[in-house]
Amino acid sequence: MNLHNPGAAIASYRAQTERQKKMPGVTLASFTCQTCGYDRKIAGRKQFVKGTTKFGYICAECHARREARKAKEAA
């Protein structure tokens, strides 16, 4: 930090944190959903293929839509 000009240091810090908002892996543990392709936090993720992580994960929202579609097809 530049102690002679604290305003510049604050502006630099704000610019850095704004850039990090766009990179969820930097500030929060995340993964890329195999269905929708978005970066999501790991809470609520499900395995794309049960029993293996080789094929990645899907987010909770995509999993709910997938289960609803399977239930509709089974009925």
Side-chain angles (χ1 to χ4, degrees), residues 1-3 15-17 21 38-39 49-50 53 58 64 67:
M1 290 182 87
N2 186 355
L3 298 178
Q16 181 181 4
T17 55
K21 279 185 185 178
Y38 289 113
D39 285 334
V49 176
K50 293 220 185 243
T53 60
I58 59 175
E67 293 299 316

Side-chain angles (χ1 to χ4, degrees), residues 26-72:
V26 171
T27 57
L28 183 68
S30 64
F31 72 101
T32 302
C33 178
Q34 293 296 318
T35 306
C36 64
Y38 289 113
D39 285 334
R40 306 283 186 166
K41 60 183 179 178
I42 61 173
R45 70 180 179 180
K46 302 290 182 185
Q47 293 176 340
F48 191 67
V49 176
K50 293 220 185 243
T52 182
T53 60
K54 178 179 177 181
F55 300 104
Y57 296 94
I58 59 175
C59 61
E61 293 84 12
C62 291
H63 178 71
R65 284 194 300 264
R66 186 178 186 190
E67 293 299 316
R69 181 182 46 103
K70 283 182 181 180
K72 184 179 176 183

